[in-house]
Amino acid sequence: MLSLKRLLDRSLTAQATLAFLLVLGITALIRKGEHPAVWVFQSALYTGVAVVVLAVQRRRAARAAGTDAGGLAELNRKIRHHEVPQASEEQAVMRRLVAEQLGQMERAGKWLPYWLGAMGLVTVGMLVLGAFTGSLAFPLLFTVGTVALCSWVLWMRPRSLDRLRRMRQALRQE
């Protein structure tokens, strides 16, 4: 399990493969009456868009920190495990990465209530449309997914902020 987690942490290809398979399964469940080629095409399209967005984010974060994608994954692992690097140049890279991530999270925090409100409105709209059309299966599935995503964001955000602030404090002490 640990090797799978490390593989998914480091490899964009492994993440893309897993995402493609998950999206393919969900698409097959939702669109049972369509040809399987449509499932594959939609899954490939959605996965491609997600991979491009993720690659751009990783590249920007690696450039801001002054390291490559592998180094970025290793530094993020050290942040999660509260490990302060021993080498001074690695500490400098870690400081830049922590400052970048904290800045992003604090800027995103200003928009979080609006984002959650928009997700709630979309979810209510989907439920209303499902009630009018008589098909509540997809709207209920969407609602459960949206509630799970929003709950996960609200649960992880304080933990991530605390982890980054503690790492910033530990790097200042070094």
Side-chain angles (χ1 to χ4, degrees):
M1 186 66 180
L2 185 61
S3 62
L4 176 64
K5 186 176 178 181
R6 186 163 290 210
L7 176 68
L8 287 173
D9 191 33
R10 294 176 179 267
S11 172
L12 189 59
T13 306
Q15 291 173 0
T17 303
L18 180 63
F20 175 78
L21 293 174
L22 287 173
V23 171
L24 182 64
I26 291 169
T27 303
L29 285 173
I30 292 172
R31 303 189 183 276
K32 291 179 184 175
E34 291 186 16
H35 195 273
V38 173
W39 303 343
V40 171
F41 174 75
Q42 285 182 335
S43 300
L45 178 68
Y46 298 153
T47 302
V49 169
V51 165
V52 166
V53 168
L54 183 61
V56 167
Q57 286 178 343
R58 277 188 177 183
R59 189 173 188 199
R60 185 181 65 202
R63 207 173 328 139
T67 186
D68 61 344
L72 184 66
E74 183 63 23
L75 289 174
N76 279 322
R77 185 196 64 76
K78 287 183 178 185
I79 290 171
R80 283 191 308 272
H81 293 192
H82 310 292
E83 297 174 12
V84 179
Q86 298 302 319
S88 61
E89 60 268 352
E90 194 176 8
Q91 284 182 1
V93 172
M94 177 81 81
R95 278 188 197 95
R96 288 192 300 268
L97 178 63
V98 167
E100 174 72 21
Q101 288 181 353
L102 265 173
Q104 281 181 345
M105 288 192 74
E106 287 167 353
R107 285 189 304 271
K110 296 175 185 175
W111 293 98
L112 186 62
Y114 303 108
W115 181 79
L116 292 173
M119 293 295 285
L121 285 175
V122 169
T123 302
V124 169
M126 291 285 290
L127 286 172
V128 169
L129 286 174
F132 279 125
T133 62
S135 173
L136 281 175
F138 179 72
L140 287 175
L141 180 67
F142 182 80
T143 300
V144 168
T146 303
V147 167
L149 174 68
C150 292
S151 299
W152 179 77
V153 166
L154 290 173
W155 179 68
M156 280 302 296
R157 181 175 165 67
R159 293 183 66 197
S160 297
L161 283 169
D162 183 51
R163 185 181 299 142
L164 288 169
R165 287 178 181 140
R166 276 193 279 148
M167 182 57 72
R168 180 176 60 187
Q169 187 65 26
L171 287 168
R172 283 182 183 161
Q173 293 173 355
E174 291 290 320

